[in-house]
Amino acid sequence: MRKERVGFAVCGSFCTHEQVLHALEELVSIYETVIPIASENAAFTDTRFGTSDDLLEKLEEITGHVVLCDIPSVEPIGPQKLLDVLVIAPATGNTIAKLAAGITDTTVTMAAKAHLRNGGPLVIAMASNDGLAAGARNIGELLVRKNYFFVPFGQDNAMGKPSSLVADFHQLPATVDAALAGQQIQPILLR
């Protein structure tokens, strides 16, 4: 088992949670310590894809750690240097926009700010219905920033949702490995 400490932050994009949980299981099989983090929306919103209680229970069951789901619980990530890498999966268009604008008003954006203050890698596994529309400039902003690494992504339904982008969550473990070495996995854009 690898010793690097992984933070795993889950945002909305509820339709991708099943895929994200499978990727989390893969990470837990590789890394000794994986700390679950949930946005307020993920932690407290029931949807047609499942209840928030079920999600939190699954996160805790998979990782063996209590889910951090408020700003005070994630703020120590920076000063105490609690993580070696932080993953945001799924990273919604809203979270990506806030990161691009430097807004820190959610559990996940605070976790990112706290982690980035130490110069650690931040892995983005996006799921955004407007990635090729209003959200495109925010993705572009993060693509050129130091310490940001993207799980390869592409259109998930080009005909039905032509502006939608989603990460290939199967590539999340390889992306984390590359990010820990300071490299962006390639190709970043999927066909």
Side-chain angles (χ1 to χ4, degrees), residues 85-150:
V85 60
L86 175 61
V87 173
I88 303 177
T92 60
N94 187 54
T95 295
I96 290 169
K98 288 181 178 199
L99 292 170
I103 297 170
T104 308
D105 65 351
T106 68
T107 301
V108 173
T109 56
M110 175 56 83
K113 175 186 174 183
H115 177 66
L116 287 168
R117 79 179 238 171
N118 297 325
L122 177 61
V123 173
I124 302 289
M126 81 168 78
S128 173
N129 283 329
D130 73 343
L132 290 175
R137 69 181 188 157
N138 300 317
I139 294 164
E141 176 68 32
L142 297 185
L143 282 168
V144 298
R145 285 201 191 160
K146 183 179 178 183
N147 299 323
Y148 280 82
F149 301 89
F150 280 75

Side-chain angles (χ1 to χ4, degrees), residues 58-80:
K58 288 176 186 173
L59 290 170
E60 291 181 358
E61 180 181 300
I62 292 168
T63 64
H65 294 278
V66 173
V67 179
L68 307 178
C69 53
D70 60 26
I71 289 174
S73 67
V74 297
E75 189 276 332
I77 287 171
Q80 296 177 18

Side-chain angles (χ1 to χ4, degrees), residues 13-114:
S13 189
F14 301 96
C15 61
T16 64
H17 282 181
E18 186 175 330
Q19 296 171 67
V20 166
L21 291 172
H22 289 301
L24 174 60
E25 289 172 339
E26 288 184 55
L27 285 178
V28 168
S29 73
I30 299 166
Y31 296 93
E32 191 174 286
T33 304
V34 179
I35 305 298
I37 300 164
S39 72
E40 290 81 349
N41 284 334
F44 304 113
T45 305
D46 295 341
T47 72
R48 64 187 170 102
F49 299 103
T51 68
S52 57
D53 287 342
D54 285 345
L55 175 64
L56 296 177
E57 184 177 302
K58 288 176 186 173
L59 290 170
E60 291 181 358
E61 180 181 300
I62 292 168
T63 64
H65 294 278
V66 173
V67 179
L68 307 178
C69 53
D70 60 26
I71 289 174
S73 67
V74 297
E75 189 276 332
I77 287 171
Q80 296 177 18
K81 299 182 180 179
L82 298 178
L83 304 175
D84 296 301
V85 60
L86 175 61
V87 173
I88 303 177
T92 60
N94 187 54
T95 295
I96 290 169
K98 288 181 178 199
L99 292 170
I103 297 170
T104 308
D105 65 351
T106 68
T107 301
V108 173
T109 56
M110 175 56 83
K113 175 186 174 183

